Amino acid sequence: MPELVLELNGRTWTLDPSRSYNVGRDPQGDMVLDDARVSWRHATVRWAGQGWIIEDQGSTNGTYVQGQRIHQVEIGPGSVVHLGNATTGPRISLAAAGAPAAGAVGAQQAAAPQQQGWQAPPAQQPPVHQAPQHQAPQQAAAQQGWQAPPQAQQQAPYIPPQQGGQPQQPGPQQPPAQNAGGPAPQAQGDRSPTTFHRLDSGRVMRIGRALENELVVSDLQVSRHHAEFRATPDGRFEIHDLGSHNGTYVNGQPVPKSGKAPVGPNDIVGVGHSTFRLVGDRLEEFVDTGEVSFSARHLTVTVDGGKQILKDVSFGVPEKSLIAVIGPSGSGKSTLLKALTGYRPANQGDVLYDNRNLYKEFAALRQRIGLVPQDDILHKELTVQKALRYAAKLRFPGDTAEAEREARIDEVLHELKLHVHREKKVTSLSGGQRKRVSVALELLTKPSLIFLDEPTSGLDPGMDRDVMQLLRGLADDGRTVLVVTHSVAELGICDKLLVMAPGGGVAYFGPPEEALNFFQYDTWADVFSAFENYRDYDWMGRWRGSPHYQMYAADIDAVAPQSVNVQAPPARMQKSQSWGSQLWTLMRRYVSVLASDRGFLALMVILPAVLGVVSMLIPSDYGLGYGPTKPGGFRPNRDASTIMLILAVGMCFSGAANSVRELIKERVIYERERATGLSRSAYLMSKVLVLGVVTAFQGVIIAVIGFSTRNMPSEGLIVPKQPAIEMTLAIIALGFTSMMFGLVISSLVKTAEKTMPLLVMFAIVQVVFTGVLFQLFDTPGVAQVAWLMPSRWAVSALGATADMNTLLPWEPGNPDPLWKHQTGVYVMDMIILIALGVSLAFVVARLLRRHEPEVMRK
């Protein structure tokens, strides 16, 4: 194993084959350079088993050998490497141990490393037709058969040559370039293991967060006693899940909770952010610290009618980098983001996270990917500290101690410089600070890959810069960040830029500083105008026929997808906490949100009070009791029906108003939390229970005000001496079912503005179907529709107690069967009213399913 001496910036290192060396501006690196042309983590020098290699880590300005940009190349004594620029960039010289470095033996020897007995391997030679990195595209046009964009052709009026024609074909066939947006994805385990563990066949190796485990994993996504490896009598091994909160996975598929699965030499076992592989009697551990590859291959999304809104999108993301995605409206940016995160998987193609199919292993990989939607994913009524505290309770395992959660929250707040705002309400923060809080929420689980959708939307230029600088810092700290944005002011700080063209194709992928030169326009406004004016131009074909494509994307695009027409099975999600624990946390959070909203608290009391007072304005000498006896024994009191109508409709409106906005205003929050393991039924039940208590309280207010000043029936049916109690129960049950109708509306609409018209319509419809405005029970068709209306059953229960067939006789001898003054009739009315509300809960649960990542729908 030859020793190698490396000289850089006046310093020398004798390289140790047992370790790798990081080169870049990162102060924590092994070889630190203060040069703006050098990336934070620019390159790595390491022993590859048969020789030394230098590997570019997706740097912005590139790594060069013999004037050619490389991704990975073998090096040896006499080699010279330049960083950031092929001629003037910082120079790395190498020599054999005991010999002078290349920098000391003269420029001629450095320029001809072949004289030292070393040559670049053929596979690393640059493509024959490849243009230098900064060569203008039009200079290579003749070699590629590549056409300039509309402006560059200087024709007036301009007619795109391909408009309405066939897609432009790429130029002459070339070997793929070596720097196509980052290193090619590796199979898990091809990386150097983080550590090794001896796995004896005679003992059990337990994995968990607690110190008493044989294999301690310091990861809050791992339970205290998570899983254990056990040997079988035939010498094989099994992995046993120990009732873990976030699950144990073999090749991306979950092991049954408290169950087991066989583990072979080629199997990958996932526990939190760590993966394990058996190699003989040794267990190799790989800890996900952000050094992961990520690529999209041939993503195509087709909607109803066969229209493609995303067309054959392929690109590779460098490790620990910042990538921006821009494009005009209708270019498929949001569709691409949903495809990359699994929210809406592509119909064709693959998304690979470290060479693992995201769609097929979503359950295992979901905690490693963070997503910050355009809308805030937190409750603005809470303080920053409290919002993060509830998020940590939902995302971390149930056995996580409060001190551990608080320590992680404090760590994230200090990392994002939010610790000074921890006691402020989120709604009081600026737009940029609120976006930081949304990012902080995602950082709790230490994701390696973070997606952001329009994080600078609505922000002024100063805040735009602050947010982009924040993302730059996240990438420099060891995460890969992909941001969809309309802002082009800060693209220069990104490592790579993906430009989407109208129709959902890729128009450019590569360094941002080369993009305008590629399009041959002076400003991004001109580029976007060209997209709009020439929507039928084959921008994707132009990109694939360009030298930039050969340099930055050809090798990713050349790899066939692992599968076509991907139909990934639903991802069985392991919940971080038990159902009851999630319900308790959600209820506490919801109560905190409501308690922080003083406007809601005031309305919660004022609205039912006003509705109760309105019912008092109806003049009536007999209230809800009997009137004077008429011939034939009837004692009519039509005022009683009017009072019941007002009280019932008021309760319908109040109950539905409580819930009609609750799901739509939290939709983005629910979508994100559902992807991290939130129970759908626990979420819905938290709403039902908390809003049910609120609605019951309002029902008592309405009933007390409406009944207190009225004459009441002489006796009840189930509470003989207190008919007001059973009538109040009917009012409360009506409020509960109306609240469920409000949740149905809230789960159906797309915007909160649409809830109010539907709420008014719901209240008016209830007026018609109460059964007191006209004879309803013997009208075919109308009577059956009335069975679906909560006001019909609530007024019937009130009518049974008050004997409405006597107070409001429609026709002698033809009473309404639901108004009979009988205990069985009252109980039936109440049971059907409550059953209607319960059945609506199942409808809401079904509708909530539409707002979940498609890859995990059950």
Side-chain angles (χ1 to χ4, degrees), residues 521-539:
Y521 285 103
D522 296 328
T523 66
W524 282 108
D526 294 331
V527 176
F528 278 62
S529 294
F531 283 148
E532 180 63 29
N533 295 333
Y534 305 103
R535 299 188 70 87
D536 294 330
Y537 185 78
D538 187 11
W539 297 100

Side-chain angles (χ1 to χ4, degrees), residues 550-628:
Q550 296 297 331
M551 183 176 293
Y552 300 117
D555 62 343
I556 293 293
D557 212 17
V559 180
Q562 294 181 353
S563 55
V564 180
N565 292 318
V566 174
Q567 297 294 333
R572 290 191 290 143
M573 308 299 293
Q574 190 78 20
K575 299 176 178 61
S576 298
Q577 298 180 353
S578 65
W579 187 89
S581 179
Q582 283 196 6
L583 175 62
W584 178 240
T585 301
L586 290 167
M587 289 177 60
R588 290 176 59 194
R589 183 178 69 178
Y590 193 28
V591 170
S592 296
V593 171
L594 296 182
S596 301
D597 189 348
R598 296 182 179 179
F600 177 83
L601 293 178
L603 189 62
M604 182 180 70
V605 177
I606 294 174
L607 178 61
V610 170
L611 294 174
V613 169
V614 167
S615 71
M616 296 175 60
L617 301 178
I618 302 172
S620 175
D621 295 333
Y622 306 104
L624 298 174
Y626 295 125

Side-chain angles (χ1 to χ4, degrees), residues 14-349:
T14 300
L15 303 184
D16 180 0
S18 65
R19 56 163 300 189
S20 60
Y21 296 84
N22 296 318
V23 186
R25 291 188 291 110
D26 184 0
Q28 304 300 319
D30 302 293
M31 305 171 187
V32 182
L33 285 168
D34 186 13
D35 191 307
R37 296 169 295 181
V38 177
S39 296
W40 192 261
R41 292 179 176 86
H42 195 103
T44 300
V45 179
R46 59 184 174 88
W47 175 256
Q50 297 183 353
W52 290 94
I53 65 171
I54 184 167
E55 181 179 5
D56 187 272
Q57 296 297 319
S59 63
T60 300
N61 295 317
T63 304
Y64 299 86
V65 172
Q66 296 182 339
Q68 300 297 330
R69 185 168 183 167
I70 58 92
H71 164 58
Q72 178 179 301
V73 70
E74 186 176 339
I75 55 177
S79 302
V80 176
V81 180
H82 285 88
L83 307 178
N85 186 279
T87 56
T88 63
R91 171 175 168 160
I92 297 177
S93 302
L94 299 114
V105 297
Q108 180 179 1
Q109 199 171 14
Q114 298 92 328
Q115 299 177 12
Q116 301 291 333
W118 174 86
Q119 287 185 333
Q124 302 297 334
Q125 298 296 333
V128 176
H129 300 289
Q130 178 173 302
Q133 180 183 8
H134 297 288
Q135 180 180 358
Q138 66 268 31
Q139 296 176 2
Q143 301 175 12
Q144 298 291 331
W146 174 81
Q147 286 188 312
Q151 185 192 50
Q153 299 200 15
Q154 301 296 323
Q155 296 180 8
Y158 174 78
I159 301 176
Q162 297 179 11
Q163 188 167 348
Q166 296 298 318
Q168 184 175 357
Q169 298 298 322
Q173 183 66 33
Q174 304 176 14
Q178 297 302 318
N179 186 43
Q186 299 168 302
Q188 184 75 31
D190 288 346
R191 302 180 182 277
S192 298
T194 307
T195 185
F196 303 93
H197 308 276
R198 174 70 64 179
L199 189 60
D200 297 330
S201 58
R203 69 186 184 96
V204 173
M205 177 175 284
R206 178 172 291 185
I207 305 172
R209 206 173 69 250
L211 296 178
E212 59 265 24
N213 293 285
E214 288 79 11
L215 202 164
V216 179
V217 180
S218 300
D219 181 359
L220 289 182
Q221 295 299 312
V222 177
S223 299
R224 291 182 58 81
H225 300 97
H226 196 102
E228 60 187 19
F229 282 96
R230 298 179 186 173
T232 60
D234 58 1
R236 300 180 182 181
F237 290 94
E238 294 177 336
I239 183 72
H240 288 245
D241 183 85
L242 300 179
S244 64
H245 296 274
N246 281 322
T248 305
Y249 300 87
V250 176
N251 299 324
Q253 301 306 310
V255 177
K257 194 166 186 177
S258 300
K260 62 182 180 180
V263 179
N266 296 321
D267 293 330
I268 301 298
V269 178
V271 174
H273 286 83
S274 297
T275 51
F276 302 89
R277 188 177 68 171
L278 280 174
V279 180
D281 60 351
R282 188 175 67 175
L283 188 66
E284 296 182 346
E285 180 182 3
F286 304 83
V287 179
D288 186 346
T289 59
E291 295 181 350
V292 295
S293 62
F294 184 82
S295 62
R297 295 181 180 177
H298 305 284
L299 297 183
T300 299
V301 174
T302 306
V303 295
D304 295 338
K307 180 181 179 181
Q308 291 185 345
I309 57 177
L310 200 67
K311 298 180 180 179
D312 198 16
V313 174
S314 299
F315 63 94
V317 176
E319 298 174 2
K320 300 182 179 181
S321 58
L322 175 60
I323 298 91
V325 180
I326 65 172
S329 299
S331 60
K333 299 188 300 298
S334 297
T335 302
L336 174 63
L337 188 65
K338 292 178 180 179
L340 294 176
T341 56
Y343 274 59
R344 199 292 188 194
N347 301 97
Q348 295 181 354

Side-chain angles (χ1 to χ4, degrees), residues 276-443:
F276 302 89
R277 188 177 68 171
L278 280 174
V279 180
D281 60 351
R282 188 175 67 175
L283 188 66
E284 296 182 346
E285 180 182 3
F286 304 83
V287 179
D288 186 346
T289 59
E291 295 181 350
V292 295
S293 62
F294 184 82
S295 62
R297 295 181 180 177
H298 305 284
L299 297 183
T300 299
V301 174
T302 306
V303 295
D304 295 338
K307 180 181 179 181
Q308 291 185 345
I309 57 177
L310 200 67
K311 298 180 180 179
D312 198 16
V313 174
S314 299
F315 63 94
V317 176
E319 298 174 2
K320 300 182 179 181
S321 58
L322 175 60
I323 298 91
V325 180
I326 65 172
S329 299
S331 60
K333 299 188 300 298
S334 297
T335 302
L336 174 63
L337 188 65
K338 292 178 180 179
L340 294 176
T341 56
Y343 274 59
R344 199 292 188 194
N347 301 97
Q348 295 181 354
D350 301 305
V351 177
L352 302 181
Y353 178 100
D354 218 23
N355 210 38
R356 301 169 66 183
N357 193 304
L358 176 64
Y359 298 158
K360 296 180 180 178
E361 302 186 28
F362 183 81
L365 298 175
R366 60 190 171 94
Q367 297 290 1
R368 306 189 189 191
I369 298 176
L371 173 62
V372 180
Q374 182 174 350
D375 297 325
D376 294 327
I377 52 176
L378 36 82
H379 294 86
K380 298 179 182 179
E381 299 85 357
L382 301 178
T383 64
V384 173
Q385 177 91 13
K386 190 172 288 187
L388 294 180
R389 187 173 292 157
Y390 282 121
K393 288 181 179 179
L394 288 173
R395 297 193 181 194
F396 289 151
D399 61 3
T400 305
E402 183 177 356
E404 292 178 295
R405 290 196 301 265
E406 292 297 326
R408 179 57 188 157
I409 292 171
D410 191 65
E411 181 182 351
V412 170
L413 289 176
H414 279 82
E415 180 180 359
L416 299 182
K417 298 179 176 60
L418 287 170
H419 55 283
V420 295
H421 304 295
R422 67 170 70 230
E423 297 302 330
K424 294 182 181 178
K425 284 189 176 183
V426 176
T427 188
S428 68
L429 301 178
S430 66
Q433 290 169 341
R434 285 202 303 271
K435 194 59 63 177
R436 282 177 178 265
V437 178
S438 294
V439 173
L441 190 150
E442 290 300 308
L443 291 185

Side-chain angles (χ1 to χ4, degrees), residues 487-740:
S487 175
V488 297
E490 303 296 330
L491 294 180
I493 68 174
C494 300
D495 297 302
K496 290 291 187 293
L497 175 64
L498 176 66
V499 182
M500 300 295 292
V506 176
Y508 173 82
F509 178 72
E513 63 269 16
E514 299 179 21
L516 286 177
N517 186 40
F518 171 82
F519 288 107
Q520 291 296 286
Y521 285 103
D522 296 328
T523 66
W524 282 108
D526 294 331
V527 176
F528 278 62
S529 294
F531 283 148
E532 180 63 29
N533 295 333
Y534 305 103
R535 299 188 70 87
D536 294 330
Y537 185 78
D538 187 11
W539 297 100
M540 185 175 178
R542 175 179 177 271
W543 155 244
R544 291 192 170 182
S546 71
H548 287 80
Y549 170 80
Q550 296 297 331
M551 183 176 293
Y552 300 117
D555 62 343
I556 293 293
D557 212 17
V559 180
Q562 294 181 353
S563 55
V564 180
N565 292 318
V566 174
Q567 297 294 333
R572 290 191 290 143
M573 308 299 293
Q574 190 78 20
K575 299 176 178 61
S576 298
Q577 298 180 353
S578 65
W579 187 89
S581 179
Q582 283 196 6
L583 175 62
W584 178 240
T585 301
L586 290 167
M587 289 177 60
R588 290 176 59 194
R589 183 178 69 178
Y590 193 28
V591 170
S592 296
V593 171
L594 296 182
S596 301
D597 189 348
R598 296 182 179 179
F600 177 83
L601 293 178
L603 189 62
M604 182 180 70
V605 177
I606 294 174
L607 178 61
V610 170
L611 294 174
V613 169
V614 167
S615 71
M616 296 175 60
L617 301 178
I618 302 172
S620 175
D621 295 333
Y622 306 104
L624 298 174
Y626 295 125
T629 303
K630 298 294 183 180
F634 295 104
R635 294 175 288 179
N637 177 10
R638 293 186 175 272
D639 294 338
S641 63
T642 305
I643 295 171
M644 291 181 187
L645 172 66
I646 297 300
L647 292 175
V649 173
M651 192 67 249
C652 282
F653 185 84
S654 183
N658 288 337
S659 60
V660 75
R661 289 178 178 265
E662 292 308 298
L663 298 182
I664 180 62
K665 75 178 184 181
E666 290 187 1
R667 181 162 297 170
V668 176
I669 299 175
Y670 172 74
E671 289 177 353
R672 183 64 195 127
E673 291 184 341
R674 179 68 176 136
T676 61
L678 180 70
S679 167
R680 182 196 312 144
S681 58
Y683 175 78
L684 177 57
M685 188 57 66
S686 70
K687 297 293 183 185
V688 172
L689 293 178
V690 175
L691 289 175
V693 172
V694 171
T695 303
F697 175 71
Q698 292 178 323
V700 172
I701 293 177
I702 290 180
V704 168
I705 297 177
F707 297 153
S708 61
T709 60
R710 302 291 190 181
N711 291 329
M712 298 301 292
S714 57
E715 61 179 24
L717 295 171
I718 60 174
V719 187
K721 301 299 183 181
Q722 296 291 335
I725 293 179
E726 61 188 62
M727 297 180 78
T728 300
L729 292 176
I731 294 292
I732 293 174
L734 173 60
F736 168 78
T737 304
S738 299
M739 177 199 74
M740 297 307 303

